């Protein structure tokens, strides 16, 4: 079929959008859209007999092709570098857009529209290759114009092809490995004495930032998951060793925190989480000391697809500060009196996350640190614990993540370390200045980092549907942070955890060993110094909580109330297996079923579960644990348990 046989296909050149000069923004967008239209012209011609040539060449074609073109260019440029580390992708996309625009605009600039109008094409911008009316050289043309006219018919198909190429690279190229990045020491006006004071505060708190009396005052005990509490039990069962169990208000997925003789938990209530709240309980008896409820600043469905009070609060001698996905940040005294409240959704939102925010605040002696990563403008926020005022903010690239920051001292400087969806970054805890960064990671969206000395241990998980498994395995790694004599910070990848994945739980570094526990209960132990694999084994249950190291033991908590106690040793040595409730009492039977071997018979080295329905949401979950003197506090959605001695051992 010839072009002359379908004259109506040139009708889009009569449309109003093409009458805009390609030098203004709307004209550029229209030109790009027309270019895509021209690149697709052979398909439109072939389809004309079936659906009608005038419709294909009319407004509907523009309505379809203009958004496709704009979306193609935007997506390629936005995701090409961040996801794959390939800086060629946006250049390819930009070249494609440029060629498309040139294929529409150049003839118009040469002829000022006259040729196109003479040919019945309409506006000057439409005297391009799509009309096939001005692309043939005229005898009156000079050599340069003749060459340009000859080349114009090829510009739009070539531009469309380049955009397709950019998409193919984005879709099918393997993630690129990136070299470590070092960032020069930022200039700051902060007095040296103040910086030294901040370092001294963190040095006194240590990398775990929890009190030396055994308090577990924030998420993962300050980010280390290592317990100072004494006389932790080895064995317990529903009949023996559970000191008390109490019903909690509402529902919640946060871990309990402990300061002094009080435990704090957070919760939400209502079908759309209309209320948020905090409750304080006696560690010794489980008695509820007080409960405070507040109207949520924003509501969202109260179901398993959205966080239910997922962020863990932070406590100290002044009380407790709780953060909720609604944007509510609330500080209370030890007796439950409100000290201050902020609406971060109103200040920094909306937060673009399909499952709501799940990040937990970290803290030092003066500040609360919140990593607000989501699909929109993201930031690291430092808030004064005394009055709730903003101490500083640091902008971050948009990214969806549920990880939490860690406050630690690295090479003599108090830092906030964030591992989140593609990179691990370090910030000055006093000023918010970015000190160093290592990118090229995949899957570090749920496990939070661990800092020991000048090393950062990173956890990563595969994508939904077990995508990006190989890249996620390479992102479970150890990073060494150092400072050069010139004062620059560097971050260097030291080792990768071979064939290992994290999931909901974060890494644990304890007694020179690094432990990774995935959601189906495969525990892998590595030498924390060298990265050599020491042992790997199945625990026989699914796990969401991070293991806790205590003395010569490692406690691994299953989501169905199980706990496996292992020796902190180079060999896999199971010391005890415990249960918090019986499957008959809770209706949870999957946790007791033994795991089936994987189809390929790979055994413990294989990360798959093999059981149908794994990863479902039936029955109560253990979301987190907090060690106390003589035992643990374990939290499900609606209950808080204490295992071990009800009072500290003398």
């Amino acid at each position: 079929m010839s072009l002359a046989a379908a004259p109506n296909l040139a009708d889009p050149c009569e449309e109003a959008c093409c009458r805009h000069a390609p030098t203004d923004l709307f004209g550029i967008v229209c030109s790009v859209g027309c270019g895509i239209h021209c690149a697709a012209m052979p398909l439109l011609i072939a389809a004309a007999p079936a659906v009608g040539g005038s419709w294909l060449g009319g407004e509907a074609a523009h309505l379809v092709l203009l958004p496709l073109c704009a979306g193609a260019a935007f997506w390629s440029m936005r995701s090409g570098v961040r996801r794959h580390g390939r800086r060629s992708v946006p250049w390819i996309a930009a070249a494609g857009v440029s060629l498309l625009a040139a294929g529409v605009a150049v003839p118009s600039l040469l002829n000022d529209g006259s040729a196109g109008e003479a040919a019945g094409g309409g506006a000057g911008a439409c005297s391009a290759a799509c009309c096939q009316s001005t692309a043939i050289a005229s005898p009156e043309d000079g050599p340069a114009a003749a060459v340009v006219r000859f080349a114009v018919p090829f510009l739009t198909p070539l531009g469309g092809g380049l955009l397709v190429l950019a998409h193919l690279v984005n879709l099918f190229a393997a993630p690129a490995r990136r070299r470590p990045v070092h960032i020069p020491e930022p200039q700051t006006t902060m007095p040296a004495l103040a910086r030294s004071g901040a370092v001294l505060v963190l040095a006194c708190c240590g990398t775990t930032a929890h009190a030396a009396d055994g308090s577990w005052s924030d998420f993962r005990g300050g980010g280390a998951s290592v317990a100072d509490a004494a006389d932790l039990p080895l064995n317990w069962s529903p009949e023996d060793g559970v000191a008390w169990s109490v019903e909690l208000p509402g529902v919640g997925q946060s871990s309990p925190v402990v300061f002094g003789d009080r435990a704090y938990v957070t919760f939400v209530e209502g079908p759309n989480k209309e209320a948020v709240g905090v409750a304080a309980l006696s560690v010794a008896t489980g008695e509820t000391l007080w409960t405070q409820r507040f109207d949520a600043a924003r509501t969202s469905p109260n179901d398993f697809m959205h966080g239910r009070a997922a962020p863990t609060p932070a406590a100290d001698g002044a009380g407790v500060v709780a953060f909720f996905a609604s944007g509510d940040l609330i500080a209370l005294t030890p007796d439950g009196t409100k000290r201050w409240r902020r609406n971060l959704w109103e200040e920094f939102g909306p937060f673009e996350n399909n499952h709501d925010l799940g990040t937990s605040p970290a803290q030092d002696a003066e500040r609360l640190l919140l990593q607000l990563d989501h699909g929109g403008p993201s930031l690291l926020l430092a808030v004064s614990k005394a009055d709730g005022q903003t101490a500083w903010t640091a902008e971050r690239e948009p990214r969806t993540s549920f990880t939490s920051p860690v406050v630690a001292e690295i090479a003599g400087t108090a830092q906030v370390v964030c591992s989140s969806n593609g990179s691990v970054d370090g910030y000055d805890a006093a000023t918010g200045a970015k000190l160093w960064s290592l990118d090229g990671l995949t899957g570090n969206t749920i496990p939070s980092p661990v800092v020991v000395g000048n090393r950062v241990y990173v956890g990563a998980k595969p994508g939904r549907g077990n995508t990006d498994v190989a890249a996620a395995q390479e992102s479970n790694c150890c990073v060494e942070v150092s400072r050069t004599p010139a004062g620059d910070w560097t971050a260097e990848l030291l080792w990768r955890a071979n064939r290992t994945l994290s999931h909901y739980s974060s890494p644990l570094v304890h007694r020179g060993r690094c432990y990774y526990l995935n959601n189906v209960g495969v525990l892998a132990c590595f030498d924390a110094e060298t990265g050599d694999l020491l042992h790997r084994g199945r625990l026989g249950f699914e796990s969401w909580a991070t293991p806790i190291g205590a003395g010569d033991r490692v406690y691994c908590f299953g989501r169905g109330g199980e706990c496996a106690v292992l020796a902190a040793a180079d060999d896999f040595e199971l010391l005890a297996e415990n249960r918090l409730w019986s499957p008959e009492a809770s209706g949870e039977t999957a946790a007791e079923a033994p795991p089936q071997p994987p189809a390929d018979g790979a055994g413990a080295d294989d990360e798959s579960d093999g059981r149908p329905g794994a990863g479902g949401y039936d029955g109560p979950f253990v979301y987190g644990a907090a060690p106390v003197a003589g035992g643990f506090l374990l939290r499900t959605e609606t209950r808080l348990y204490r295992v071990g001695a009800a009072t500290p051992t003398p």
Side-chain angles (χ1 to χ4, degrees), residues 317-330:
V320 62
V321 183
F323 174 63
F324 298 89
S326 59
D328 290 291
L329 183 65
I330 305 169

Side-chain angles (χ1 to χ4, degrees), residues 152-196:
V152 161
F154 303 98
L155 294 180
T156 50
L158 181 59
L162 288 176
L163 275 179
V164 171
L165 176 61
H167 277 293
L168 291 177
V169 173
N170 263 352
L171 289 173
F172 300 110
R177 294 185 181 180
R178 304 186 186 182
R179 300 172 64 182
V181 177
H182 74 275
I183 299 176
E185 171 73 3
Q187 298 297 317
T188 177
T189 58
M190 181 183 180
L193 181 60
R195 290 178 58 87
S196 300

Side-chain angles (χ1 to χ4, degrees), residues 428-518:
D428 189 305
T431 67
K434 192 174 183 179
L435 303 179
W436 55 268
S437 179
L438 181 76
D439 56 10
L441 302 177
T442 299
N444 55 328
T445 55
I446 294 180
S448 298
V450 178
V451 181
V452 178
N454 66 333
R455 294 190 174 191
V456 181
Y457 297 84
V458 178
K461 59 176 286 294
R464 180 171 296 179
N466 283 329
T467 58
D468 298 325
V469 172
Q473 287 178 331
E474 291 190 344
S475 297
N476 287 273
C477 60
C478 175
V479 177
E480 185 173 60
V481 179
S482 58
R483 197 172 190 179
T484 68
D488 296 339
W489 290 91
T490 62
E492 180 182 3
L493 181 65
L494 284 187
W495 53 260
R496 303 179 191 272
N498 180 42
R499 295 185 62 198
T500 296
L501 292 170
S502 300
H503 206 105
Y504 301 110
S505 66
S506 301
L508 165 68
V509 179
H510 181 54
R511 293 203 167 184
R513 302 171 187 89
C514 180
Y515 298 87
Y516 289 95
L517 177 61
N518 69 12

Side-chain angles (χ1 to χ4, degrees), residues 168-472:
L168 291 177
V169 173
N170 263 352
L171 289 173
F172 300 110
R177 294 185 181 180
R178 304 186 186 182
R179 300 172 64 182
V181 177
H182 74 275
I183 299 176
E185 171 73 3
Q187 298 297 317
T188 177
T189 58
M190 181 183 180
L193 181 60
R195 290 178 58 87
S196 300
V199 171
L200 180 60
V201 166
L202 266 293
C204 293
C205 295
T207 57
T208 59
H210 61 81
D213 62 358
S215 291
W216 194 264
S217 55
D218 47 21
F219 185 51
R220 299 185 298 135
S225 298
V226 175
D228 294 332
D231 300 322
L232 295 178
L234 178 62
N235 300 101
W236 63 83
S237 68
E239 297 78 22
D240 182 21
V242 178
W244 50 258
S245 168
V246 296
E247 189 80 12
L248 298 174
V251 294
Q253 297 168 320
S254 58
S255 297
V257 297
V258 177
F259 195 89
D261 61 353
R262 301 191 176 204
Y264 300 98
V265 295
T266 58
F267 61 89
V268 293
E269 292 178 321
N272 288 295
K273 296 183 290 191
E274 290 86 356
V276 298
V278 182
L281 299 91
S282 166
V283 171
T285 66
E287 176 190 359
T288 299
L289 304 177
W290 52 261
T291 301
Q292 284 281 27
R293 292 175 174 83
F294 303 89
D295 291 336
R298 174 188 173 273
T299 61
S300 63
N302 189 349
D303 57 35
F304 271 111
M305 295 304 294
H306 298 82
R308 295 165 154 176
T312 294
D316 61 10
V320 62
V321 183
F323 174 63
F324 298 89
S326 59
D328 290 291
L329 183 65
I330 305 169
L332 304 170
T333 64
D335 64 3
T337 302
K338 185 180 78 173
R339 297 169 54 215
W340 50 263
R341 180 181 182 183
R342 290 179 64 171
N343 181 352
L344 301 187
W345 183 279
E346 184 177 80
E347 295 181 47
F348 303 109
F351 300 130
E352 300 174 15
N353 191 316
N354 291 335
H355 305 292
D356 289 343
L357 291 179
T359 185
S360 298
Q363 64 175 332
D364 61 19
E366 301 175 357
R367 291 170 290 266
L368 202 74
L369 292 311
L370 279 165
Q371 178 185 312
L372 302 177
D373 285 352
H374 60 101
S378 302
L379 72 153
L380 182 63
L381 172 67
V383 175
S384 167
K385 292 197 291 185
D387 56 14
Q389 297 299 307
T390 297
W392 51 260
T393 61
E395 294 184 359
R396 290 174 54 80
E397 289 294 321
R399 65 188 90 186
T400 300
S401 175
F402 303 90
T403 66
S404 301
V406 173
V407 181
E409 181 180 317
I410 300 177
T413 299
Q415 300 189 20
V416 184
V417 178
C418 304
S419 174
S420 176
N421 204 354
S423 70
V424 56
D425 313 293
Y427 298 82
D428 189 305
T431 67
K434 192 174 183 179
L435 303 179
W436 55 268
S437 179
L438 181 76
D439 56 10
L441 302 177
T442 299
N444 55 328
T445 55
I446 294 180
S448 298
V450 178
V451 181
V452 178
N454 66 333
R455 294 190 174 191
V456 181
Y457 297 84
V458 178
K461 59 176 286 294
R464 180 171 296 179
N466 283 329
T467 58
D468 298 325
V469 172

